[in-house]
Amino acid sequence: NAGVTQTPKFRVLKTGQSMTLLCAQDMNHEYMYWYRQDPGMGLRLIHYSVGEGTTAKGEVPDGYNVSRLKKQNFLLGLESAAPSQTSVYFCASSSGQYNSPLHFGNGTRLTVT
Amino acid sequence: AQSVTQLDSQVPVFEEAPVELRCNYSSSVSVYLFWYVQYPNQGLQLLLKYLSGSTLVKGINGFEAEFNKSQTSFHLRKPSVHISDTAEYFCAVGNTGGFKTIFGAGTRLFVKA
């Protein structure tokens, strides 16, 4: 029962470097999401996808890009990392129904120096 | 627009004591309410959800929550907590207008021996 798997678990970047976070789910879910978690702010939605080949902006999309080339994978990219992007990133998936819960990965802790 | 307010950022409590974590929401349409729990260094997992019907909802690990439409609240309760309940708890709301879930800022429950 893998569920939602995120890689890597930890990463340290220098300002201006780029990286890609990978999320994979094995539940055949249509919807996938990327959130960031910062102390005292809960989870904020970065980007989401309602199906293969589609993506949309969430609440805090600036500085990030995403791609969903395969239904099971959702990639989050940082083209030029900034210290403000230091955070814990969570991927989640759901069946897409408005009353369906989210299934989360274990997170990626990113530090930008 | 929807919003979720968790009224306490931290709640310390002694083991075997009862606890209530408070959550208020605002929404102009019908809502679906969730409580998630996050243990250290893990992703969020669903505790319970309210979709419709009985306003008292039972979840995992002995937790329950009561939906109060007139007070727009969805408080989480447990009659007797254990050390293992130490975690961060998030209230969240979804609605029929879309598939995005809005999270509160979280309440850190700390159970002391």
Side-chain angles (χ1 to χ4, degrees):
Chain A
N1 267 359
V4 178
T5 303
Q6 291 183 234
T7 53
K9 294 182 180 178
F10 302 95
R11 186 72 186 266
V12 178
L13 289 178
K14 295 185 187 303
T15 298
Q17 288 184 321
S18 63
M19 77 163 294
T20 300
L21 307 184
L22 173 62
C23 176
Q25 53 97 1
D26 61 2
M27 295 171 283
N28 202 35
H29 283 165
E30 287 293 335
Y31 289 22
M32 296 186 74
Y33 311 80
W34 276 107
Y35 287 89
R36 60 177 289 173
Q37 182 180 28
D38 301 291
M41 304 187 74
L43 278 77
R44 293 181 291 169
L45 184 64
I46 304 171
H47 286 280
Y48 62 97
S49 167
V50 302
E52 182 178 317
T54 71
T55 63
K57 294 180 180 180
E59 181 185 355
V60 288
D62 294 341
Y64 306 95
N65 57 76
V66 288
S67 64
R68 184 122 180 250
L69 299 179
K70 294 183 179 180
K71 185 177 183 178
Q72 63 268 34
N73 296 336
F74 195 30
L75 279 63
L76 177 72
L78 285 73
E79 291 184 344
S80 180
S84 60
Q85 294 177 304
T86 293
S87 187
V88 181
Y89 292 86
F90 286 98
C91 177
S93 69
S94 76
S95 64
Q97 298 298 315
Y98 50 77
N99 57 3
S100 60
L102 299 174
H103 297 259
F104 284 86
N106 283 335
T108 295
R109 186 173 296 275
L110 175 67
T111 302
V112 183
T113 61
Chain B
Q2 297 176 102
S3 67
V4 179
T5 302
Q6 292 184 242
L7 297 162
D8 306 292
S9 59
Q10 296 186 70
V11 174
V13 64
F14 284 103
E15 193 174 21
E16 297 184 5
V19 70
E20 178 179 81
L21 306 185
R22 297 179 294 166
C23 173
N24 286 95
Y25 68 91
S26 66
S27 177
S28 57
V29 297
S30 298
V31 295
Y32 303 91
L33 295 157
F34 307 85
W35 275 98
Y36 289 85
V37 59
Q38 183 181 31
Y39 298 105
N41 300 314
Q42 294 186 26
L44 283 70
Q45 54 184 278
L46 184 69
L47 259 186
L48 49 80
K49 61 183 179 182
Y50 170 78
L51 305 179
S52 64
S54 173
T55 57
L56 184 63
V57 180
K58 294 191 183 298
I60 62 172
N61 300 340
F63 283 92
E64 63 182 31
E66 186 163 15
F67 172 61
N68 188 318
K69 188 174 182 179
S70 63
Q71 296 187 7
T72 61
S73 67
F74 190 54
H75 300 334
L76 181 71
R77 302 185 183 102
K78 186 169 183 178
S80 176
V81 294
H82 303 289
I83 298 286
S84 59
D85 292 323
T86 294
E88 190 154 19
Y89 293 79
F90 291 92
C91 182
V93 62
N95 66 46
T96 54
F99 39 78
K100 289 180 280 185
T101 302
I102 306 299
F103 287 86
T107 297
R108 190 172 296 277
L109 175 64
F110 179 59
V111 182
K112 300 177 286 186

